[in-house]
């Protein structure tokens, strides 16, 4: 299943925060979880700037993990502020979804 590009853009921040709510991950692992759940067009040029913005907003933080073989990796974690933002955005998304469902399912005789 592939999502509409505009919906993907609107949902991506919440999706990334949701992935990180389950524990620390590096960028490639985040992208793989997203792909598994239908975010098939997410590239590094989209994901890493978003992670930087989330860091700047205090929603995520990172630490470097240095491997014996190969380069180090940034491991991202969700902050308490990020958990609050995930809860807020999930509630807002749910309200929007309910409003859209009502609009589709309710005949409007008057504006």
């Amino acid at each position: 299943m592939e999502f509409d590009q505009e919906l993907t853009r609107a949902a991506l921040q919440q999706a990334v925060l949701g992935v990180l709510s389950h524990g620390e991950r590096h960028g490639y692992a985040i992208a793989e979880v997203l792909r598994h759940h239908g975010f098939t067009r997410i590239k590094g040029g989209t994901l890493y700037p978003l992670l930087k913005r989330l860091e700047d907003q205090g929603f995520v933080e990172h630490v470097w993990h240095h491997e014996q073989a190969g380069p180090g990796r940034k491991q991202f974690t969700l902050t308490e502020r990020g958990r609050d933002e995930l809860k807020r955005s999930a509630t807002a998304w749910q309200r929007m979804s309910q409003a859209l469902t009502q609009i589709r399912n309710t005949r409007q005789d008057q504006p």
Side-chain angles (χ1 to χ4, degrees):
M1 167 178 39
E2 198 170 293
F3 299 129
D4 178 271
Q5 191 173 8
E6 288 180 36
L7 288 175
T8 298
R9 216 178 357 258
L12 188 56
Q13 177 173 314
Q14 187 179 151
V16 169
L17 293 175
V19 170
L20 291 175
S21 73
H22 297 287
E24 179 179 89
R25 293 196 192 257
H26 56 84
Y28 182 79
I30 294 168
E32 285 300 301
V33 171
L34 293 172
R35 279 187 202 97
H36 178 75
H37 290 283
F39 288 80
T40 57
R41 295 183 180 177
I42 304 306
K43 306 287 185 220
T46 300
L47 181 60
Y48 290 102
L50 173 60
L51 286 166
K52 173 71 171 111
R53 283 192 306 276
L54 292 173
E55 254 191 309
D56 291 347
Q57 294 171 312
F59 298 153
V60 302
E61 56 192 16
H62 79 271
V63 294
W64 277 99
H65 285 254
H66 296 284
E67 303 290 326
Q68 295 262 345
R73 295 181 181 183
K74 275 187 179 182
Q75 292 285 117
F76 295 91
T77 57
L78 193 62
T79 64
E80 196 58 40
R81 189 172 175 191
R83 289 187 188 285
D84 292 342
E85 174 59 17
L86 177 57
K87 184 177 178 180
R88 184 207 64 75
S89 66
T91 299
W93 191 273
Q94 185 175 29
R95 282 190 210 139
M96 177 66 75
S97 178
Q98 288 170 345
L100 291 170
T101 299
Q102 286 178 340
I103 290 167
R104 285 191 312 271
N105 295 332
T106 304
R107 182 173 174 203
Q108 305 294 321
D109 293 326
Q110 297 287 329

